[in-house]
Amino acid sequence: QPEFTAAATSAESKIIYVSGHISGVRVNVASNKTIAGIDSNSGITGNLSVIGVSNVIITNLNITNPAAIGTA
């Protein structure tokens, strides 16, 4: 999870591949990111905020937020 958070919040353009499942995520994704699951088992439990950013692509991920992390 620390590697994912560092990559997603970086100022650099990045393609981030997610393998397996990441839990407890609460990340403000920076602009110019592609976050892609590598297979149908790839997922994130938590919150990915994309407010006020541009050029963010999220694909092939199961995203759940059962504890309402980061809402309201």
Side-chain angles (χ1 to χ4, degrees):
Q1 176 180 330
E3 289 179 9
F4 174 80
T5 300
T9 58
S10 165
E12 299 175 6
S13 297
K14 291 193 180 282
I15 300 174
I16 303 163
Y17 294 101
V18 176
S19 175
H21 196 87
I22 301 172
S23 296
V25 171
R26 185 174 183 179
V27 176
N28 294 323
V29 179
S31 294
N32 303 312
K33 301 293 180 289
T34 296
I35 303 172
I38 62 166
D39 59 31
S40 62
N41 295 317
S42 301
I44 292 174
T45 300
N47 179 271
L48 297 178
S49 175
V50 292
I51 296 170
V53 296
S54 61
N55 196 30
V56 174
I57 300 168
I58 300 171
T59 185
N60 200 36
L61 283 177
N62 296 309
I63 302 174
T64 58
N65 192 11
I69 297 169
T71 61

